[in-house]
């Protein structure tokens, strides 16, 4: 445990941010899995599921949870799955 006051605060802030990022990352993975499932089952709401997943990927990128290239790759993969399902 640190002795300096600012270092103690830094430990607490890092813990809070880590929990917040973990929750956002978990939600992102869940939404992506639901979108994949909707496309694979050819559900009626597959377009909405993909749109929500892309939105969550953009939000994760904006918050620094995903790198911008990783976000672009995930969005491209989702769009490709939707296009293949519609074809």
């Amino acid at each position: 445990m640190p002795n300096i006051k600012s270092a103690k605060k830094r430990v607490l802030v890092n813990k809070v941010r880590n929990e917040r990022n973990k929750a956002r990352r978990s939600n992102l993975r869940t939404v992506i899995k639901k979108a994949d499932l909707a496309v694979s089952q050819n559900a009626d709401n597959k377009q909405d599921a993909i749109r929500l997943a892309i939105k969550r990927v953009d939000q994760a990128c904006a918050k620094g949870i995903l790198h911008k290239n990783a976000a672009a790759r995930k969005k491209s993969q989702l769009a490709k799955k939707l296009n293949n399902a519609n074809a």
Side-chain angles (χ1 to χ4, degrees):
M1 190 69 191
N3 293 324
I4 300 169
K5 185 177 179 181
S6 61
K8 289 179 184 178
K9 181 180 178 184
R10 185 62 31 216
V11 168
L12 295 175
V13 169
N14 285 340
K15 182 179 179 184
V16 169
R17 287 186 178 182
N18 184 30
E19 292 295 321
R20 191 177 298 143
N21 287 340
K22 194 181 295 185
R24 286 181 176 147
R25 192 176 302 118
S26 174
N27 180 262
L28 174 68
R29 289 179 182 149
T30 302
V31 170
I32 289 174
K33 285 178 187 175
K34 285 182 181 179
D36 286 340
L37 188 65
V39 169
S40 66
Q41 292 180 345
N42 202 15
D44 294 335
N45 66 339
K46 65 185 173 189
Q47 188 109 20
D48 295 331
I50 293 289
R51 188 177 294 124
L52 178 65
I54 288 175
K55 180 179 178 183
R56 290 286 195 265
V57 167
D58 282 336
Q59 288 174 340
C61 181
K63 296 293 182 183
I65 294 169
L66 279 180
H67 188 273
K68 65 176 187 172
N69 290 353
R73 184 176 65 242
K74 287 191 182 298
K75 288 165 52 176
S76 173
Q77 289 169 347
L78 288 166
K80 188 175 180 182
K81 287 178 185 177
L82 182 62
N83 289 337
N84 287 341
N86 288 337

